[in-house]
Amino acid sequence: MIVAVDAAGGDYYPQNPVAGALLALQENDELTVLLIGPEAIINKELATHEYDKNRVLVYNAPEIIGMEESPSTAVKAKKNSSIVIGNSLIKVGKCQAFVSAGNTGALLAASTFILGKLEGVIRPTIGALYPTVKGFRLLVDAGANLEIKPEMAIQFAKMGKIFCREVLGIDSPKVGLLNVGEEEGKGTETLKEIYPALQASVSNFIGNVEGKDIMHGKADVFVCDGLVGNLILKFGESIPEILMMLIGKTIREANISQEDALKIQQVIASATASFNYENVGGIPFLGVNGVSLVGHGSSTPKAIKNMIHKAIQTYTQDVNGKIIASLN
Amino acid sequence: MIVAVDAAGGDYYPQNPVAGALLALQENDELTVLLIGPEAIINKELATHEYDKNRVLVYNAPEIIGMEESPSTAVKAKKNSSIVIGNSLIKVGKCQAFVSAGNTGALLAASTFILGKLEGVIRPTIGALYPTVKGFRLLVDAGANLEIKPEMAIQFAKMGKIFCREVLGIDSPKVGLLNVGEEEGKGTETLKEIYPALQASVSNFIGNVEGKDIMHGKADVFVCDGLVGNLILKFGESIPEILMMLIGKTIREANISQEDALKIQQVIASATASFNYENVGGIPFLGVNGVSLVGHGSSTPKAIKNMIHKAIQTYTQDVNGKIIASLN
């Protein structure tokens, strides 16, 4: 099994992708990693580590696509970037999967363009793994498709269920439609059309779910359009930082002892540990003809390692074969 | 100044509305409150309090609109409900404002139907007061209009700015458009049309803002459609409960002493105190021809009291006159 790792993507390259890839090697004897990016910086970083040289390959990709670059322009212009090369190497069978903490839009564009769509897929999608009191659950679409139609919603629900079952290990995933109220007939005209479509075509559809149901994990797959998914994702991601900022300020202003401050921070860290994105690492583009995953720009080595494990699972569980079977 | 108070609305009536009304009287010598609801239960509740009988009026409204009833059906069927009577009493000049913690949809329907729209208003709207690190800011629309057009967005922005300035005391309110990215040209077709419309017609428009910008208070008025507003509002409201649940669980499982547990809870309560909705109480329907405010179903007496103060401010600052002037 060869997993390609984008060593020029994310906020902390090459350090974090390289360290994460080497961590993954230690946990999986069958694995070989292929580090993609500017050769010189990868080799310099590798020189600071001890590792099994037979299981680490380097592929030179001198061009770099920045986090803020316009996706389609960058993918067209930079054929020698890690993002374009990573997907191309899947296409020609040089690796079984590609993982990156880089520019999500560019990754989606490159994987859709280079790998193509799975048979029967209308539009590939990217979900978000959302922390709930029951563990991570899937919000799909998370920004790839800002407006959706009933047929797309059905496919997102089906692909999301397969990912939840095969990779997250959720036995019989429930599908909910994010809406302003529980009753059928609520919402925009589009949502009123999507509800009966999901009811007719998706097993385990539990109906509409509301914003307050997300963190309670009322559904396993929350279906929404990419505008809603993106706004909720980014809003949710801002909360821990805001919370720690306010708690830090309170601790300073209230003259709390260092010892007590430590206890408080430990309790909060422990209470929110299950929300730690590092444990899931990344998520595949669903509907593309290959295994291509994306993680947070700020991915730590541990997050990269877990994204590699998720990629292996997505491949060995044949998520894509099961998606084709469910859609056709 | 007579403010009518719905004594048959919210999750804790008549106790909380009655107690809140009496608290407001103590803080404002010019105020008379008019309690609306089933006479017998109001009088029974009043009998448990000491208060100035000259400044408390009771208006019998025997019918009750439940929190889950279908708004338009309920408003049509129950002419003798506090929600219908409250708005009717504004219309005939028996009071200057009406506040309620009852069924939001029914309140919007009744105030739009009975009071009518202000001159030039396309659609009345309801905003949400959203806690940010800078204090409460306005998210508008919060569920009254699930789909919006550029002309509506312009009006929501203008009405929101007036509310922020006159009632929240924000000097020169900034308007942001909730979107998936900062650059102009991002988002759905509707958002691409709304951006230039806001830029052309609304002063202090700062462009697109993202989900992560909400709690940082990057804008003072966040413009969005009611689907997005409702989902973000309800999602955000669920967070403190989830957080306290997880922290409580951690404290129990880690065998933390009662003394330390208390300290931890105090720090968290103090850190999030500025997020306490009780301090703002409620928000007016913007664009209706009268002062009609709605608060959370779970409003405490303190929240009801502050909603009454917000109603007085909305009236005395002539928010509606200023809205007419800004739109025409």
Side-chain angles (χ1 to χ4, degrees), chain A residues 87-276:
Chain A
N87 281 291
S88 303
L89 293 178
I90 297 178
K91 181 78 176 174
V92 297
K94 294 278 187 199
C95 62
Q96 279 76 57
F98 174 56
V99 304
S100 173
N103 181 318
T104 304
L107 285 159
L108 176 63
S111 64
T112 305
F113 184 70
I114 296 165
L115 301 173
K117 295 184 289 186
L118 291 172
E119 191 193 333
V121 167
I122 305 166
R123 292 286 296 269
T125 183
I126 171 84
L129 285 170
Y130 224 81
T132 79
V133 294
K134 295 183 183 164
F136 280 90
R137 294 300 185 263
L138 191 72
L139 196 68
V140 60
D141 183 286
N145 301 281
L146 299 185
E147 290 169 279
I148 63 174
K149 293 182 193 312
E151 317 83 71
M152 289 162 71
I154 291 170
Q155 295 199 340
F156 294 172
K158 287 184 174 179
M159 294 193 288
K161 281 178 70 177
I162 291 168
F163 174 76
C164 281
R165 200 176 57 223
E166 303 298 332
V167 182
L168 299 185
I170 300 165
D171 255 354
S172 183
K174 296 190 291 282
V175 174
L177 177 62
L178 270 180
N179 205 330
V180 299
E182 287 188 359
E183 309 80 9
E184 183 174 358
K186 285 274 182 183
T188 58
E189 290 311 310
T190 304
L191 288 169
K192 286 179 195 168
E193 286 170 22
I194 290 176
Y195 187 108
L198 291 177
Q199 198 162 41
S201 304
V202 176
S203 61
N204 239 350
F205 174 57
I206 61 167
N208 289 326
V209 290
E210 300 185 60
K212 65 175 190 240
D213 300 324
I214 299 174
M215 292 198 70
H216 285 284
K218 191 169 174 185
D220 302 303
V221 180
F222 292 90
V223 174
C224 59
D225 64 44
L227 174 65
V228 162
N230 174 284
L231 286 168
I232 289 186
L233 175 67
K234 291 192 180 165
F235 172 64
E237 283 177 356
S238 74
I239 294 170
E241 180 201 340
I242 298 266
L243 191 71
M244 292 316 278
M245 188 175 98
L246 290 169
I247 287 171
K249 187 164 166 264
T250 303
I251 286 174
R252 283 191 305 276
E253 287 175 358
N255 272 322
I256 285 167
S257 73
Q258 277 212 319
E259 191 194 356
D260 281 350
L262 194 67
K263 273 184 206 162
I264 292 166
Q265 276 153 348
Q266 277 167 348
V267 165
I268 292 164
S270 164
T272 55
S274 61
F275 290 4
N276 190 344

Side-chain angles (χ1 to χ4, degrees), chain A residues 147, chain B residues 147-150 177 186-196 225:
Chain A
E147 290 169 279
Chain B
E147 288 167 281
I148 64 175
K149 292 181 196 309
L177 177 62
K186 285 274 181 182
T188 58
E189 291 311 309
T190 305
L191 289 170
K192 287 178 195 170
E193 286 171 21
I194 290 175
Y195 187 107
D225 64 43

Side-chain angles (χ1 to χ4, degrees), chain B residues 38-303:
Chain B
E39 210 166 18
I41 69 159
I42 295 174
N43 286 328
K44 197 176 159 197
E45 182 61 26
L46 279 172
T48 67
H49 293 270
E50 295 281 328
Y51 61 96
D52 178 353
K53 294 197 171 46
N54 295 320
R55 294 166 61 210
V56 177
L57 310 170
V58 176
Y59 196 108
N60 187 35
E63 290 177 311
I64 290 175
I65 294 181
M67 296 300 274
E68 302 298 332
E69 279 190 63
S70 162
S72 52
T73 317
V75 167
K76 276 179 205 146
K78 297 184 173 174
K79 300 289 181 212
N80 289 312
S81 60
S82 53
I83 287 176
V84 172
I85 288 175
N87 282 291
S88 304
L89 293 177
I90 297 177
K91 181 78 178 173
V92 299
K94 293 280 186 197
C95 60
Q96 279 75 56
F98 174 56
V99 303
S100 173
N103 182 319
T104 305
L107 286 158
L108 175 64
S111 64
T112 305
F113 185 71
I114 296 164
L115 302 173
K117 295 185 287 187
L118 291 172
E119 191 193 333
V121 167
I122 305 166
R123 293 284 298 270
T125 183
I126 171 83
L129 286 169
Y130 224 81
T132 79
V133 293
K134 295 183 183 164
F136 280 90
R137 294 300 184 263
L138 191 71
L139 195 68
V140 62
D141 183 289
N145 302 283
L146 299 187
E147 288 167 281
I148 64 175
K149 292 181 196 309
E151 317 83 72
M152 290 162 71
I154 291 170
Q155 294 199 342
F156 294 173
K158 287 184 173 179
M159 294 194 289
K161 280 178 70 176
I162 292 168
F163 174 77
C164 280
R165 200 175 57 224
E166 303 298 332
V167 182
L168 299 185
I170 299 165
D171 256 353
S172 182
K174 295 189 291 283
V175 174
L177 177 62
L178 270 181
N179 206 331
V180 298
E182 286 188 1
E183 309 82 9
E184 183 174 0
K186 285 274 181 182
T188 58
E189 291 311 309
T190 305
L191 289 170
K192 287 178 195 170
E193 286 171 21
I194 290 175
Y195 187 107
L198 290 177
Q199 197 163 41
S201 303
V202 176
S203 60
N204 238 351
F205 173 56
I206 61 166
N208 290 326
V209 289
E210 299 186 60
K212 63 174 190 240
D213 300 324
I214 298 174
M215 291 197 71
H216 285 285
K218 189 168 175 184
D220 301 305
V221 180
F222 292 90
V223 174
C224 59
D225 64 43
L227 174 64
V228 162
N230 175 284
L231 285 169
I232 289 185
L233 175 67
K234 290 192 180 166
F235 172 64
E237 283 178 357
S238 74
I239 293 169
E241 181 202 339
I242 299 266
L243 191 70
M244 292 317 277
M245 189 174 97
L246 291 170
I247 287 171
K249 188 164 165 265
T250 304
I251 287 174
R252 283 191 305 278
E253 287 174 357
N255 273 322
I256 285 167
S257 72
Q258 277 211 321
E259 193 194 353
D260 282 350
L262 194 67
K263 273 185 206 161
I264 292 167
Q265 276 154 349
Q266 276 167 349
V267 165
I268 292 164
S270 165
T272 56
S274 62
F275 290 2
N276 190 344
Y277 182 78
E278 282 185 317
N279 297 322
V280 286
I283 185 161
F285 295 105
L286 295 168
V288 300
N289 190 13
V291 177
S292 183
L293 280 80
V294 61
H296 276 205
S298 59
S299 290
T300 57
K302 184 178 169 191

Side-chain angles (χ1 to χ4, degrees), chain A residues 1-4 30-34 57 94-97:
Chain A
M1 177 96 196
I2 301 179
V3 174
E30 315 282 303
L31 179 65
T32 295
V33 293
L34 172 56
L57 309 170
K94 294 278 187 199
C95 62
Q96 279 76 57

